[in-house]
Amino acid sequence: MKDETIKTTEELHPLVPSGEWEGFYCYHYTPEQHKMDIELTFKESIVSGSGSDDVAPFTWKGNYDLEKFKLEMIKYYPTHQVFYKGDIDENGIWGVWQIVMNFPNISKRHLDMFLQVMGDDLKGGFHIWPKKKAEDSNSEEIEFESKKLKEIFYEELV
């Protein structure tokens, strides 16, 4: 009898399940949450996926390290990119984001002026977690996690 076990390279660690995720991002200067709906695949230390938020649809590409419980990925919009860096734990993935600056044809003086005006709009914090079935969700737990995120990213970005 042949061994018909199907080998998969998809990540089996319970903290990073492939599938539907949800969460939010916040700008540096406000705790207002901007919702994200996400589909992520974790495989062989590479994370990829897609989603949508109040800016536009996007795709994800990055990597994760389950020895250090760290993740880095880039969110690709049609108009720009955002770098995400976070920690993986039992509550999902927490961290900070920053818009990737890539303006090869702009002078340093103009770039400095742009950063001075737009600086706080270019960074913030985020929290994402695996989407739970309705019977498994707990709004009190999510509210607590949101408070924790505010403390974490305000301290890190200030």
Side-chain angles (χ1 to χ4, degrees):
M1 183 177 218
K2 285 186 179 179
D3 181 12
E4 296 186 15
T5 304
I6 298 173
K7 292 185 179 183
T8 179
T9 56
E10 193 167 292
E11 186 61 58
L12 299 177
H13 196 286
L15 295 182
V16 287
S18 293
E20 292 182 69
W21 285 61
E22 60 188 338
F24 61 89
Y25 70 90
C26 299
Y27 288 95
H28 172 65
Y29 55 85
T30 177
E32 180 183 354
Q33 298 177 3
H34 300 268
K35 185 180 177 194
M36 296 187 283
D37 289 308
I38 308 163
E39 183 77 27
L40 290 174
T41 301
F42 294 88
K43 186 178 1 180
E44 299 176 351
S45 298
I46 303 292
V47 58
S48 60
S50 60
S52 64
D53 59 24
D54 58 351
V55 174
F58 56 80
T59 59
W60 293 104
K61 186 75 173 173
N63 56 64
Y64 62 97
D65 181 337
L66 290 175
E67 289 181 17
K68 297 178 182 176
F69 293 96
K70 300 286 185 186
L71 172 134
E72 292 184 348
M73 60 185 171
I74 296 179
K75 188 184 207 181
Y76 295 92
Y77 290 105
T79 56
H80 63 286
Q81 300 170 11
V82 184
F83 176 71
Y84 278 70
K85 182 177 182 178
D87 295 315
I88 302 166
D89 69 17
E90 64 278 357
N91 294 310
I93 302 171
W94 307 80
V96 294
W97 60 266
Q98 184 167 0
I99 292 181
V100 176
M101 303 302 293
N102 186 12
F103 301 113
N105 298 324
I106 191 170
S107 72
K108 176 159 177 22
R109 184 174 71 88
H110 284 107
L111 181 58
D112 289 343
M113 287 173 33
F114 174 78
L115 292 173
Q116 187 175 17
V117 172
M118 298 297 293
D120 284 342
D121 285 338
L122 302 177
K123 60 186 175 182
F126 76 97
H127 177 205
I128 61 174
W129 57 89
K131 199 168 198 174
K132 293 181 171 73
K133 296 178 180 68
E135 64 271 10
D136 294 339
S137 67
N138 182 340
S139 60
E140 287 179 24
E141 191 174 303
I142 291 170
E143 184 177 328
F144 171 76
E145 293 167 3
S146 299
K147 289 178 185 174
K148 180 180 174 186
L149 174 66
K150 290 175 197 172
E151 293 170 9
I152 291 170
F153 89 82
Y154 281 130
E155 287 175 13
E156 189 165 327
L157 293 173
V158 175

